[in-house]
Amino acid sequence: MVRIAASTIALITWASLAAAQGTQVAFGGMTQDTSAPVEVTADQLEVNQGDGTALYTGNVVIGQGDMRLAAPRVLVVYAEGQNGGQGRIQRMEARGGVTLVSGEEAAEAEQADYDIDAGTVVMTGNVLLTQGANALTSERMVVNLTDGTAQMAGRVQTVINQGGSGQDQN
């Protein structure tokens, strides 16, 4: 009985913390090296030398280290390089339903913006973060790839799976 009461108190505490307007959670269980090579695959590519962008469309999958991002459309913006040429990737803008996977965790949203210099991914629009059997939802999530955390905001809701019925299972 004491164990059930303690579990109930823990669940209420977790739920009230997650229901706050901003909740910080671990993401990916690791940090991400934002200087690691970026690999992009897609069905189509349009390059615009004038504004330093590349538009990938159709089954876009971006990999960097252990992180994977998938979306129907991703605009890659390059920083200006030496002598006005194209430099390294500055940011990526994913649209049309985005999935971000890092380690054992996955997040989905309507769109995501990856700022490589800042080491952040900002996901907006019906964000769903799954961590094992647990799920968190919000309207916005900012993932800090430097320290492996995420900040969720905009009516955060958490579902914590307590696992099992309380009886030993074989």
Side-chain angles (χ1 to χ4, degrees), residues 26 28 102-107 128-136 159-161:
S102 182
E104 297 293 317
E105 296 161 340
L128 169 65
L129 171 63
T130 56
Q131 297 178 310
N134 302 324
L136 295 95
V159 176
I160 301 170
N161 186 343

Side-chain angles (χ1 to χ4, degrees), residues 35-91:
S35 67
V38 175
E39 179 181 329
V40 182
T41 58
D43 293 337
Q44 294 182 355
L45 168 63
E46 296 176 32
V47 176
N48 185 332
Q49 295 290 346
D51 66 4
T53 62
L55 177 62
Y56 292 89
T57 56
N59 301 309
V60 183
V61 178
I62 298 172
Q64 185 180 39
D66 291 332
M67 184 178 70
R68 297 287 175 267
L69 185 143
R73 178 185 186 280
V74 176
L75 179 69
V76 176
V77 179
Y78 293 91
E80 191 172 309
Q82 294 179 341
N83 301 323
Q86 194 169 308
R88 60 185 182 74
I89 297 173
Q90 184 177 39
R91 70 179 189 277

Side-chain angles (χ1 to χ4, degrees), residues 17-170:
L17 288 173
Q21 285 299 311
T23 300
Q24 186 158 343
V25 296
F27 185 80
M30 55 95 188
T31 57
Q32 174 67 29
D33 179 5
T34 58
S35 67
V38 175
E39 179 181 329
V40 182
T41 58
D43 293 337
Q44 294 182 355
L45 168 63
E46 296 176 32
V47 176
N48 185 332
Q49 295 290 346
D51 66 4
T53 62
L55 177 62
Y56 292 89
T57 56
N59 301 309
V60 183
V61 178
I62 298 172
Q64 185 180 39
D66 291 332
M67 184 178 70
R68 297 287 175 267
L69 185 143
R73 178 185 186 280
V74 176
L75 179 69
V76 176
V77 179
Y78 293 91
E80 191 172 309
Q82 294 179 341
N83 301 323
Q86 194 169 308
R88 60 185 182 74
I89 297 173
Q90 184 177 39
R91 70 179 189 277
M92 291 183 260
E93 301 169 357
R95 302 290 183 265
V98 180
T99 302
L100 176 69
V101 178
S102 182
E104 297 293 317
E105 296 161 340
E108 297 176 4
E110 293 171 11
Q111 60 187 35
D113 294 321
Y114 178 16
D115 183 329
I116 292 182
D117 291 336
T120 59
V121 178
V122 178
M123 301 184 78
T124 55
N126 298 315
V127 178
L128 169 65
L129 171 63
T130 56
Q131 297 178 310
N134 302 324
L136 295 95
T137 61
S138 69
E139 282 304 309
R140 176 180 164 93
M141 177 173 74
V142 179
V143 180
N144 182 328
L145 298 173
T146 305
D147 64 11
T149 62
Q151 180 75 32
M152 300 185 80
R155 194 65 185 155
V156 178
Q157 181 179 7
T158 304
V159 176
I160 301 170
N161 186 343
Q162 295 296 337
S165 62
Q167 298 175 349
D168 290 340
Q169 297 179 2
N170 296 1

